[in-house]
Amino acid sequence: MPFQNQFALSLELTKFLPLGPIVNAGGESILTVARELRRSGSDIVVEEDLAAVFGRNRIESRFESSFKTAVHSSEIHPISKYLDIVLEAGAGPTVRRSLTDRARFSTIVQLSLLAYTHTIDKLANALSRALEKRLEGGNTELAGPTVDYVGLAGTLEACADQTSAYRWHLLLDAVEDTLPWSRASGGYLGRNLDFVVLQGLLDLLTCVQYLPEDRIITLKCRTGIGTIVVWAHHVLGLTVEVTGGELGSANFGTGQPNIIIEISDLPASIILLDAVDDCLFQLEAGAAEDPTLTGRIYSPLLGFGVRFLDVRSGSPTSIDILEVARYVQFKALHKNRGYNKRRIQEAVSIIFCTDKLIECCADDIIELEESRKLWSEEFTSRFGEKLHPRIAYCIAMLEWLVDLLSHISNIQQCHEVPLALESLQYADPRELPESFVGGGSPGDLLGIFELWCRFLVNSRAQPAYDKVSAASARGWTILLGSIGAVDASDWSAYNISIVKGVPSRRGERKHWIVDGLSGVNWGSRNLNIVEPPGSSSTLRCIERLIGPKQFVAVVKDSFQVVQILQDEPQKVHQHIVARQYYMRLGFRDMFEACQKSHHLVPCEHPRSDGRTVVLPPGACTVRTFPFGDMSTPRIRTALGLTAGVPAARWAFLVHAVHIKRDIDSFQVFLRGQDCCYKCAVEQACKHEGRSVVVL
């Protein structure tokens, strides 16, 4: 007898899957578990409600073993000596509690797959609506879970983060490569499920799994084929048959199919049949209020270029991947004028998964130009006449990706970083900042950092990018090097890196680190001169600074960080304390200051601590607090007395770069430990305009 609605169907399932409380803390306090889950971004009520639906399905035994092996471990990566925020990778509370509970584990596995193939926001909205619709027409006293969007999105995000070690792309790619019609008419069918298919599978998969001889599912849809096959066959162990009309069929599993999928351009539908092919339940697309799911095709950076061309070009067999890789290599080298060639070669090797690139030793731009022309002519002669515009566009996008990837400092540790093909497909190359500006110095690295944030985060709600210093998605985080740099001259302060893990503080996970309010109580606007020109100076730091002190607040899905530096209070009278000066620093301020300063050239002299230097005409030493604005007449070079005190060096550098914006021909020089004081002074004084030296 057919079921009148989905509620009646789900109620029928309770005859062999009795309803009952799933919550079982095993002697552990429910409140403790709830707090841990909430701090990780999930919700105990949402997890249990989802387990009441997804937890009914049995996970195929071999898949269960491989999945647990991939996701059971966890690790912590410190990112700063001073900040108590770390990157926490791998299993968190949601995954750990699922490893010993069948229903919860089944739920986590299926949610992990759905989160991998869809955008989190659209999936949360669709699941919330599907759980509501499956209860329509039912007894409100027996009604099952209806999950709110916010809680569901947080749980899906936590699940995606904590299970990111499992390589779903291997299964999905293998299934889709088996379907010869998956790129019919030059397009790609996509991984997103139709809403009615998702709604129906919530109950019908359970029916078929527990009554395999008496129940069969028939589907008509065009998208999400690979997702359905992986879900039903690889995860749940069911047999699936996919038919593509004149193009033939493909079978996954042995025996009679439990699920038959017909690829069709007609509106999506899902039907449950009994052993004699009578319809027991049916859903069809068409309701105007049904939400739309957006699919994502993720691929790790290792081999991303190959997969991107394979999926998006429409005719992958017409391309020689090695030739494309070499062409992209030379185009990137030419664009960057030979600068950063090691990272460019590493980037090309990674995305095209090849080590057979041409070693480019042409530092001379003329030789490089001739090489580029040669390879352009050869590439055009081999492929130009038959190169489809779509392929040419894909190659241009990969050139752009290589340029972006060459700015990641730890590129060799980023092989497993998931990047959505769609994020590159719809990117606009005009948004890319000039990679390098005159003289071979780095250009707008903050702009490149913001582009990477968009690529990784991929459509989730985010704070203003001009405040972000770290962003996380799917278990990986991109961050500015200034977060972990102790001193302004540290090499890490100039880098952008992508590290495995999610920002965590005392067990609480968030996906953003943003700067709080920044500013300074500058005090006097004139230079606070300590030693005038012609004086003999040891150039020692005279500041007594307190800090940096980090203050962390939680704002929605972000850690908001403020760093405060201030000088020690000094008594000028028995009951009078001199005015204190302070500075609020942001990690972006620090990163920008490093990018806009010039490192002094190293020298071979020994460190000159304790030795005196005679200040040349126009040069003076100044205090960090208060500094001033370089408006003092007859002073061309201000030497900040900051040597050996990282806090003073950061404060002085950030302030100097701040006032640089308003003064023409103004330069900020930063001394490293490889340059003595005397050489630092001499180099700075050669500058024609005004300058500041961070000693």
Side-chain angles (χ1 to χ4, degrees), residues 143-446:
T146 58
V147 185
D148 70 283
Y149 167 82
V150 176
L152 190 50
T155 298
L156 289 170
E157 195 84 66
C159 184
D161 289 338
Q162 295 176 35
T163 62
S164 62
Y166 189 78
R167 301 178 179 181
W168 285 111
H169 68 277
L170 297 178
L171 290 177
L172 291 161
D173 291 349
V175 168
E176 290 161 353
D177 289 342
T178 304
L179 306 175
W181 54 86
S182 62
R183 297 170 185 80
S185 303
Y188 194 81
L189 298 182
R191 291 177 176 172
N192 55 298
L193 300 176
D194 287 287
F195 174 74
V196 293
V197 173
L198 174 65
Q199 179 188 345
L201 290 178
L202 294 181
D203 287 310
L204 301 194
L205 285 174
T206 308
C207 288
V208 172
Q209 194 174 49
Y210 282 87
L211 298 171
E213 303 296 331
D214 299 321
R215 300 289 184 267
I216 188 171
I217 299 172
T218 63
L219 280 162
K220 287 185 179 180
C221 58
R222 180 168 178 79
T223 64
I225 310 299
T227 303
I228 298 171
V229 172
V230 172
W231 187 359
H233 174 63
H234 291 281
V235 175
L236 301 182
L238 300 173
T239 300
V240 181
E241 177 184 330
V242 184
T243 63
E246 296 179 356
L247 295 174
S249 62
N251 293 287
F252 301 87
T254 58
Q256 292 297 317
N258 307 111
I259 301 175
I260 299 175
I261 304 172
E262 179 184 344
I263 299 178
S264 172
D265 292 326
L266 297 175
S269 64
I270 182 170
I271 302 173
L272 178 67
L273 303 175
D274 62 13
V276 293
D277 291 340
D278 288 336
C279 177
L280 299 178
F281 178 74
Q282 180 175 359
L283 287 175
E284 293 183 350
E289 69 274 11
D290 287 350
T292 301
L293 288 94
T294 303
R296 283 291 180 263
I297 303 174
Y298 284 96
S299 177
L301 279 177
L302 183 63
F304 179 88
V306 178
R307 193 62 182 170
F308 185 75
L309 287 171
D310 184 29
V311 171
R312 296 303 177 193
S313 67
S315 53
T317 56
S318 66
I319 305 175
D320 186 321
I321 295 297
L322 181 57
E323 294 297 328
V324 172
R326 291 175 174 175
Y327 178 72
V328 169
Q329 176 192 9
F330 275 99
K331 289 276 284 185
L333 285 170
H334 177 262
K335 180 178 182 180
N336 292 285
R337 305 183 65 82
Y339 186 84
N340 208 21
K341 65 181 181 181
R342 180 184 62 82
R343 283 192 188 171
I344 288 175
Q345 182 158 329
E346 289 177 343
V348 175
S349 298
I350 289 172
I351 70 168
F352 288 104
C353 205
T354 179
D355 57 358
K356 297 180 180 180
L357 299 176
I358 300 298
E359 290 289 341
C360 180
C361 301
D363 292 324
D364 191 322
I365 190 61
I366 298 178
E367 294 182 29
L368 187 62
E369 174 69 14
E370 292 177 352
S371 299
R372 186 192 69 85
K373 288 181 179 178
L374 174 64
W375 276 94
S376 294
E377 292 172 0
E378 290 187 6
F379 186 84
T380 303
S381 65
R382 296 182 190 184
F383 306 105
E385 295 181 357
K386 58 182 179 181
L387 203 60
H388 192 279
R390 186 187 293 114
I391 301 176
Y393 178 80
C394 289
I395 293 174
M397 290 294 95
L398 292 174
E399 294 173 20
W400 185 33
L401 177 62
V402 166
D403 197 3
L404 290 176
L405 191 57
S406 67
H407 293 84
I408 302 299
S409 62
N410 62 332
I411 186 173
Q412 290 294 346
Q413 285 76 51
C414 298
H415 290 188
E416 294 300 321
V417 173
L419 186 62
L421 271 60
E422 292 83 358
S423 63
L424 192 62
Q425 178 188 10
Y426 302 117
D428 186 352
R430 291 172 297 181
E431 293 183 0
L432 181 64
E434 286 297 326
S435 298
F436 297 94
V437 293
S441 59
D444 185 12
L445 287 182
L446 277 176

Side-chain angles (χ1 to χ4, degrees), residues 82 481-482 484-495 585 589-599 642 645-654 657 668-673 694-695:
Y82 303 108
S482 54
V486 175
D487 186 80
S489 62
D490 289 352
W491 178 77
S492 61
Y494 299 78
N495 293 326
L585 285 178
D589 297 330
M590 297 161 65
F591 188 82
E592 181 183 17
C594 290
Q595 303 304 316
K596 293 185 177 181
S597 62
H598 281 237
H599 265 263
T642 61
V645 181
R649 285 165 60 82
W650 277 120
F652 196 78
L653 176 64
V654 171
V657 169
V668 179
F669 294 103
L670 180 62
R671 184 189 74 88
Q673 296 299 317
V694 183
L695 293 174

Side-chain angles (χ1 to χ4, degrees), residues 490-510:
D490 289 352
W491 178 77
S492 61
Y494 299 78
N495 293 326
I496 300 171
S497 57
I498 302 178
V499 184
K500 192 172 185 179
V502 180
S504 175
R505 181 173 183 260
R506 302 169 189 172
E508 185 170 15
R509 294 190 180 194
K510 300 296 178 183

Side-chain angles (χ1 to χ4, degrees), residues 56-232:
R56 300 171 300 178
N57 299 332
R58 297 188 301 262
I59 303 299
E60 198 272 333
S61 58
R62 289 173 298 178
F63 181 89
E64 177 179 353
S65 176
S66 64
F67 192 87
K68 285 184 176 179
T69 301
V71 305
H72 79 281
S73 62
S74 60
E75 52 188 351
I76 293 177
H77 304 288
I79 59 174
S80 173
K81 179 180 178 180
Y82 303 108
L83 199 62
D84 61 350
I85 297 176
V86 298
L87 295 184
E88 197 170 315
T94 297
V95 168
R96 285 196 295 266
R97 68 196 295 258
S98 74
L99 296 177
T100 56
D101 184 280
R102 184 197 62 81
R104 294 191 186 107
F105 179 74
S106 177
T107 302
I108 294 305
V109 169
Q110 295 171 81
L111 292 181
S112 177
L113 171 62
L114 294 175
Y116 189 83
T117 53
H118 298 82
T119 57
I120 298 294
D121 52 349
K122 298 291 187 180
L123 177 61
N125 185 41
L127 272 177
S128 178
R129 178 62 180 151
L131 291 171
E132 290 179 2
K133 294 195 71 171
R134 65 190 288 273
L135 302 177
E136 291 178 357
N139 187 334
T140 56
E141 295 180 359
L142 300 176
T146 58
V147 185
D148 70 283
Y149 167 82
V150 176
L152 190 50
T155 298
L156 289 170
E157 195 84 66
C159 184
D161 289 338
Q162 295 176 35
T163 62
S164 62
Y166 189 78
R167 301 178 179 181
W168 285 111
H169 68 277
L170 297 178
L171 290 177
L172 291 161
D173 291 349
V175 168
E176 290 161 353
D177 289 342
T178 304
L179 306 175
W181 54 86
S182 62
R183 297 170 185 80
S185 303
Y188 194 81
L189 298 182
R191 291 177 176 172
N192 55 298
L193 300 176
D194 287 287
F195 174 74
V196 293
V197 173
L198 174 65
Q199 179 188 345
L201 290 178
L202 294 181
D203 287 310
L204 301 194
L205 285 174
T206 308
C207 288
V208 172
Q209 194 174 49
Y210 282 87
L211 298 171
E213 303 296 331
D214 299 321
R215 300 289 184 267
I216 188 171
I217 299 172
T218 63
L219 280 162
K220 287 185 179 180
C221 58
R222 180 168 178 79
T223 64
I225 310 299
T227 303
I228 298 171
V229 172
V230 172
W231 187 359

